[in-house]
Amino acid sequence: MRLYVNVDHVATVRQARMTDEPDPVRAALMTEQAGADGITVHLREDRRHIQDRDVDLLMNMATTPVNLEVAAVEEMLTLACAWRPAQVTIVPEKREEVTTEGGIALCTNEAFRSVADATRHLKQEGIRTSLFVDPDPDVIRVSADLGVEAIELHTGEYANASSSERMQQLRRLAKAATLARSLGLAVHAGHGLTYDNVTEVAAISELEELNIGHSIISRAVLVGIERAVREMSDLIRRARTS
Ligand code: PXP
């Protein structure tokens, strides 16, 4: 099982001040040193967190595969084909959402066409493509028909489920993973996974990659805060004693 760390939330903190810290690229390189198997970044159309500069640098500096999440729109496909990351994950995107709210809807003609065009485009360029989808058998079959290499199962409903619904959501994910594997797809999963809920998902044998961001970055803030305060406090104290 591979762990890909999503560093978008490092960029979110930087963009809150429009400054240059914390640098998501530096964070990505540190996650690699800590054992991450890959780096995930979502370049949103509104550039609310990750910037083009971040992806540019990552493509040159990352030593693990970069998984670039983008919407199925021309601007993003052009950028993806120029950067040529190890993997592109196509995600749905709504400007008004706080975070990706669900898997790609492949049920409407318009959504299907844009995703089909995008996957064809990426395939022609030889870029491994994954589709972020709900654990829904029909959507998984359509994904396989589109000829993508992988799907990423949206784990948000499992993560948000009440304790009485959690087993049911877990079974849904496991069945979806089995179906996807039987159709020849590599199966990834992510969204809303935390230190508390990851174990059961990680035990699904068909899954080969997890994408986790918010919980890891949140924990990093807390486990790093003592050292950060100590360093600032030492600087201030030394200024008064020298
Ligand atoms: N996978 C996809 C497709 C996502 O859009 C996101 C959120 O950007 C994640 C995984 C990671 O979700 P989280 O930050 O909740 O771990």
Side-chain angles (χ1 to χ4, degrees):
M1 172 76 91
R2 303 185 293 269
L3 169 63
Y4 276 39
V5 177
N6 180 319
V7 294
D8 294 353
H9 291 286
V10 178
T12 300
V13 177
R14 177 191 61 191
Q15 295 311 110
R17 285 289 179 94
M18 299 287 183
T19 176
D20 59 2
E21 68 169 5
D23 183 353
V25 177
R26 191 155 173 227
L29 303 183
M30 290 170 82
T31 71
E32 287 180 332
Q33 284 187 351
D37 300 297
I39 305 298
T40 295
V41 284
H42 182 176
L43 185 69
R44 295 187 77 105
E45 289 178 84
D46 63 10
R47 307 299 198 271
R48 71 173 69 158
H49 41 54
I50 292 295
Q51 306 296 305
D52 298 49
R53 161 268 182 210
D54 302 329
V55 188
D56 259 338
L57 283 175
L58 264 182
M59 290 309 303
N60 283 310
M61 298 173 80
T63 55
T64 60
V66 173
N67 172 36
L68 177 65
E69 295 177 356
V70 289
V73 297
E74 201 179 322
E75 180 201 9
M76 291 300 152
L77 296 171
T78 304
L79 285 169
C81 291
W83 281 319
R84 305 192 61 76
Q87 177 170 288
V88 168
T89 300
I90 298 180
V91 297
E93 214 176 277
K94 289 190 227 130
R95 279 191 191 236
E96 64 277 16
E97 69 193 357
V98 174
T99 182
T100 316
E101 284 170 354
I104 307 173
L106 290 170
C107 43
T108 67
N109 279 344
E110 197 190 334
F112 176 81
R113 251 198 315 276
S114 64
V115 174
D117 288 349
T119 55
R120 203 174 312 113
H121 193 140
L122 293 165
K123 205 174 185 58
Q124 275 165 5
E125 294 287 329
I127 298 175
R128 178 184 166 89
T129 305
S130 175
L131 299 182
F132 185 52
V133 297
D134 290 322
D136 171 325
D138 292 336
V139 176
I140 292 169
R141 286 193 193 93
V142 175
S143 303
D145 289 345
L146 285 172
V148 291
E149 284 84 357
I151 56 165
E152 179 178 339
L153 294 174
H154 181 240
T155 49
E157 282 191 60
Y158 159 76
N160 293 330
S162 61
S163 47
S164 61
E165 287 172 348
R166 194 154 147 170
M167 272 314 290
Q168 189 192 330
Q169 290 296 340
L170 191 64
R171 275 196 293 271
R172 192 171 164 227
L173 285 168
K175 277 173 81 173
T178 305
L179 171 65
R181 273 309 299 142
S182 75
L183 295 170
L185 294 162
V187 197
H188 312 157
H191 208 281
L193 295 177
T194 67
Y195 293 84
D196 289 329
N197 68 19
V198 73
T199 307
E200 294 89 336
V201 173
I204 299 174
S205 59
E206 289 88 354
L207 293 179
E208 59 181 69
E209 179 185 308
L210 294 181
N211 278 285
I212 308 181
H214 188 261
S215 192
I216 292 176
I217 303 306
S218 302
R219 179 144 180 81
V221 171
L222 291 193
V223 298
I225 206 158
E226 279 187 28
R227 177 169 165 190
V229 172
R230 219 177 298 118
E231 285 177 2
M232 182 61 82
S233 176
D234 285 351
L235 273 177
I236 294 167
R237 213 173 313 110
R238 255 186 266 128
R240 289 300 180 101
T241 52
S242 59

